[in-house]
Amino acid sequence: MAKRLSGRLIVVSNRLPYYKDADSAGKPTWKRSPGGLVTALEPIIREINGLWVGWDGVFLKHDHSAKSEIRSASHLGIPGTRKDYKLLPISLTRKEIEKYYSQFSNNTLWGLFHYFFEKSSIDYSSWEIYKKVNEKFALSISKVAGEKDYIWINDFHLLLCPFFLRRINPKYKIHFYLHIPFPHVDIFSTLPWGRELLDSLACCDSLGFQHPQYMKNYQGVVQELGAGRKPDRLSGKPAEDTKPFTYVNPISIDFDKFDKTSRKVRVKKRKKELIKQNNYLKMILGVDRLDYSKGIKQKLLGIEKLLDTCPELAGEFCFYQLAIPSRESVAAYRSLKKDIDELVGRINGKFSTGTWHPIQYMYTSVPFDELIAFYSAADIALITPLRDGMNLVCKEFVASHSDNDGVLVLSRFAGASMDLKNSLAVNPYSIEDICKALREALAMPGAERKRKMERMRENVRTNDINVWFDKILSVFEYTEKEGESHV
Ligand code: ADQ
C-alpha cells in the first residue's frame, strides 16, 4: 500500500501502540495501549513497516532535551506477528504527563471537543506544558524526518505539533487526522487558545475528519475566526493566512480479521460456553472505554427503565457491560467509575432474584479472541455514546456476526451512525428512547434481524480500514501534486 508513497510514513500519536509497564510479578513488560486509535492503526503500520512516534509510558526523572533513537518493535520485545515496525519513543516527566495529558488533553480538550462544557476546565499552567510537550515531539521528529517523509499526526493531544514542525522546516509534509469530533464555533471560541490551535492547523498540508459535521464545524470556525496563519520562514512568527486541504474519511476496522476470528473453532466453542453460562437468555452487550462520553450511565438507566416498565422481561435477558479502565489519573474518570459501580449495585439490588442478575459488569480489558466470542454471543449490542468521533465497537460487533444475526442499538451521536443506517438509532439523552429501542430489539423477528445485519456487514466490509487508509494515501499524493503545481 505505502509503496505508492515517495517517502517514509511517520505516524505520530500521544502514545506508542505499546507502553512499558510491569507484570503482576513486577517484571518489566510491554502492554498494548487501550483505545480505538491503536486498534485501527497498528495493523496498518505493522503491514507497511512504518515508523511510529509516541510516549512510551516511561516517566523521566529529570527533564532533558528530546532524545531520538529509533528502535524496532521486535527488537524491543513487543509482541506481534512476523511483520515488524519501528518506534521512536518519547519519554516525558510525571509533571508533563499530568499537565499535558491528564489535564489539558483529557480534561480541557476532550471535554470541550465532545460538547461537555462543564467537564472542561481552563488551566493556564497546563496550556504552557501542552505547548512544551508538543514542541518536544516536533524536535524529536525533526531529528529523524526528511523532507520526503510524510509526517502524519494523529489526534487532539498534538494539535500544536504542526506549528512547531513547520517552524523547524517549512518544507516538511505535514498531515493531521482528528479522531474525535470538532466542535461548533460557539463552543470552540470559548477556548482561550483557539487562535493558536488554528494557526497550527494552518501549518498542515491536509486535515482529515471522521464526519461531515465535524469538517463543517471546523470550516464554520475558520469562517468566523479566520483561517490560521503559517509561521514566517525567517522569524518563525505567524505570517501567511492559509487553509489546509480538508476532507472527511470515516475510520473503520479490519473487517476480515473480526470475521475470520469469529469463525475459529476455539472462538465458536467459547461463544457456546458464554451462551450456556448466560442460561440461554438473550444477551445484551456493551463494550467501552470507561469514559463519560460513552453514555454508560445512560444505558444502565435504560436497562432499569426497561425492567420498571416491562416487569415480564425480568429473567429473560442479561446485560453484560465490559469496560476497559481508562484515564484513571483524571478526577472525572475516577468519579464516573464510582457512579457506575453504585448504579450497577443499585439496579442489581433492585431486580435480582436468587438465580438471576440483570447486569454483569466487568471492569477489565479482555483478550482479543474473548472479545470476539462476546460480540458473537451477544444478541444485541447497546452502544450509546453522548458524542463519539466514530466508535469502532459497533463496527467490531457487526463484523464478528458471521452468523448474520444480531441487533445494533446505536446512538445518533456516534460518527458511525452515518454509515450504519440499519441499526436502531437512539438519542442517548432520552432514557425513554433507549428503553423503547431495547424493547424493539428484544422483540425483532429473525428475518428482520438478518436483513438489517446483512446490510450493515456489507457496509463495514466494503468500507474497511484498508479503504480508509487508501484514501489517506490518496490525500497525501493529491496535496503533494497541488503543492508542486503552486511552486
Ligand atoms: P475510543 O474513544 O477509544 O477511540 P472506540 O472507537 O470505541 O473508542 O474504540 C475502543 C476500542 O477499545 C475498540 O477497539 C474496543 O474493542 C476496545 N475495547 C473497549 N473495551 C474493551 C475491553 N473491555 N476489552 C478489550 N478491548 C476493549 C477514539 C475515538 C473514537 C474513534 C477511535 C478511532 O474516541 O470515536 O472511533 O478513536 O478513530
Side-chain angles (χ1 to χ4, degrees), residues 6 148 150 173 205 476-487:
S6 54
K148 284 206 163 135
Y150 299 81
K173 295 179 211 163
D205 293 303
F476 292 178
E477 287 170 328
Y478 172 75
T479 51
E480 207 168 352
K481 282 198 196 108
E482 282 288 288
E484 278 163 16
S485 65
H486 284 109
V487 172

Short mmCIF file of all heavy atoms in Angstrom, two decimals, residues 6 148 150 173 205 476-487:
data_model
loop_
_atom_site.label_atom_id
_atom_site.label_comp_id
_atom_site.label_asym_id
_atom_site.label_seq_id
_atom_site.Cartn_x
_atom_site.Cartn_y
_atom_site.Cartn_z
N SER A 6 6.33 8.36 -2.01
CA SER A 6 7.73 8.55 -2.40
C SER A 6 8.65 8.65 -1.18
O SER A 6 9.86 8.58 -1.31
CB SER A 6 7.86 9.80 -3.27
OG SER A 6 7.30 10.90 -2.59
N LYS A 148 11.23 14.37 2.35
CA LYS A 148 10.43 13.47 1.51
C LYS A 148 9.43 12.66 2.34
O LYS A 148 8.48 12.08 1.81
CB LYS A 148 11.36 12.48 0.80
CG LYS A 148 12.09 13.11 -0.34
CD LYS A 148 12.45 12.05 -1.34
CE LYS A 148 12.80 12.71 -2.65
NZ LYS A 148 13.96 12.19 -3.27
N TYR A 150 6.48 11.56 5.04
CA TYR A 150 5.12 12.04 5.31
C TYR A 150 4.93 11.99 6.82
O TYR A 150 4.93 10.89 7.40
CB TYR A 150 4.08 11.16 4.63
CG TYR A 150 4.24 11.15 3.13
CD1 TYR A 150 5.20 10.34 2.53
CD2 TYR A 150 3.47 11.98 2.33
CE1 TYR A 150 5.39 10.35 1.16
CE2 TYR A 150 3.65 12.00 0.96
CZ TYR A 150 4.61 11.18 0.38
OH TYR A 150 4.79 11.20 -0.97
N LYS A 173 6.37 17.67 4.90
CA LYS A 173 5.00 17.31 4.51
C LYS A 173 4.29 16.92 5.80
O LYS A 173 4.65 15.93 6.45
CB LYS A 173 5.01 16.10 3.58
CG LYS A 173 5.67 16.38 2.24
CD LYS A 173 5.63 15.11 1.42
CE LYS A 173 6.80 15.01 0.50
NZ LYS A 173 7.04 13.69 -0.01
N ASP A 205 -0.62 20.19 5.62
CA ASP A 205 -0.97 20.06 4.20
C ASP A 205 -2.38 19.51 4.07
O ASP A 205 -3.09 19.83 3.11
CB ASP A 205 0.02 19.12 3.50
CG ASP A 205 1.40 19.75 3.46
OD1 ASP A 205 1.52 20.85 2.92
OD2 ASP A 205 2.34 19.16 4.02
N PHE A 476 -2.51 12.31 0.58
CA PHE A 476 -1.08 12.68 0.63
C PHE A 476 -0.58 12.97 -0.79
O PHE A 476 0.08 13.97 -1.04
CB PHE A 476 -0.22 11.56 1.23
CG PHE A 476 -0.45 11.30 2.70
CD1 PHE A 476 0.22 10.28 3.35
CD2 PHE A 476 -1.33 12.07 3.44
CE1 PHE A 476 0.02 10.03 4.71
CE2 PHE A 476 -1.54 11.84 4.80
CZ PHE A 476 -0.86 10.81 5.43
N GLU A 477 -0.92 12.06 -1.72
CA GLU A 477 -0.46 12.22 -3.10
C GLU A 477 -1.05 13.49 -3.73
O GLU A 477 -0.36 14.25 -4.38
CB GLU A 477 -0.88 11.00 -3.94
CG GLU A 477 -0.08 9.75 -3.61
CD GLU A 477 -0.67 8.52 -4.27
OE1 GLU A 477 -1.90 8.44 -4.45
OE2 GLU A 477 0.10 7.62 -4.59
N TYR A 478 -2.34 13.69 -3.50
CA TYR A 478 -3.03 14.82 -4.10
C TYR A 478 -2.43 16.15 -3.62
O TYR A 478 -2.13 17.03 -4.42
CB TYR A 478 -4.52 14.76 -3.74
CG TYR A 478 -5.30 15.97 -4.14
CD1 TYR A 478 -5.63 16.18 -5.48
CD2 TYR A 478 -5.67 16.93 -3.21
CE1 TYR A 478 -6.32 17.31 -5.87
CE2 TYR A 478 -6.36 18.07 -3.58
CZ TYR A 478 -6.68 18.25 -4.91
OH TYR A 478 -7.36 19.38 -5.30
N THR A 479 -2.22 16.26 -2.30
CA THR A 479 -1.70 17.54 -1.77
C THR A 479 -0.27 17.79 -2.27
O THR A 479 0.13 18.92 -2.47
CB THR A 479 -1.72 17.57 -0.23
OG1 THR A 479 -1.09 16.40 0.25
CG2 THR A 479 -3.12 17.65 0.31
N GLU A 480 0.46 16.71 -2.46
CA GLU A 480 1.83 16.84 -2.96
C GLU A 480 1.81 17.44 -4.37
O GLU A 480 2.55 18.37 -4.68
CB GLU A 480 2.47 15.47 -2.99
CG GLU A 480 3.95 15.51 -2.84
CD GLU A 480 4.49 14.12 -2.59
OE1 GLU A 480 3.71 13.17 -2.37
OE2 GLU A 480 5.69 13.99 -2.64
N LYS A 481 0.92 16.88 -5.19
CA LYS A 481 0.83 17.37 -6.58
C LYS A 481 0.37 18.82 -6.59
O LYS A 481 0.90 19.64 -7.32
CB LYS A 481 -0.17 16.52 -7.37
CG LYS A 481 0.43 15.21 -7.79
CD LYS A 481 -0.38 14.58 -8.91
CE LYS A 481 0.00 13.12 -9.03
NZ LYS A 481 -1.05 12.23 -8.56
N GLU A 482 -0.62 19.13 -5.75
CA GLU A 482 -1.12 20.50 -5.67
C GLU A 482 0.00 21.45 -5.27
O GLU A 482 0.16 22.52 -5.83
CB GLU A 482 -2.22 20.59 -4.60
CG GLU A 482 -3.54 20.06 -5.05
CD GLU A 482 -4.18 20.97 -6.07
OE1 GLU A 482 -4.64 22.04 -5.67
OE2 GLU A 482 -4.23 20.60 -7.25
N GLY A 483 0.79 21.02 -4.28
CA GLY A 483 1.92 21.82 -3.78
C GLY A 483 2.87 22.13 -4.91
O GLY A 483 3.28 23.27 -5.12
N GLU A 484 3.21 21.06 -5.70
CA GLU A 484 4.17 21.24 -6.80
C GLU A 484 3.63 22.23 -7.82
O GLU A 484 4.34 23.08 -8.32
CB GLU A 484 4.42 19.90 -7.50
CG GLU A 484 5.45 19.06 -6.76
CD GLU A 484 5.40 17.62 -7.20
OE1 GLU A 484 4.81 17.34 -8.25
OE2 GLU A 484 5.93 16.77 -6.46
N SER A 485 2.30 22.11 -8.12
CA SER A 485 1.74 22.97 -9.15
C SER A 485 1.70 24.44 -8.72
O SER A 485 1.51 25.31 -9.52
CB SER A 485 0.36 22.49 -9.56
OG SER A 485 -0.50 22.63 -8.47
N HIS A 486 1.89 24.69 -7.41
CA HIS A 486 1.89 26.08 -6.94
C HIS A 486 3.28 26.69 -6.85
O HIS A 486 3.43 27.85 -6.57
CB HIS A 486 1.22 26.17 -5.57
CG HIS A 486 -0.27 26.07 -5.67
ND1 HIS A 486 -0.98 24.99 -5.24
CD2 HIS A 486 -1.17 26.92 -6.23
CE1 HIS A 486 -2.26 25.17 -5.50
NE2 HIS A 486 -2.40 26.32 -6.08
N VAL A 487 4.29 25.84 -7.04
CA VAL A 487 5.66 26.35 -6.90
C VAL A 487 5.98 27.31 -8.04
O VAL A 487 5.62 27.06 -9.17
CB VAL A 487 6.68 25.18 -6.88
CG1 VAL A 487 8.11 25.70 -6.94
CG2 VAL A 487 6.46 24.36 -5.63
#
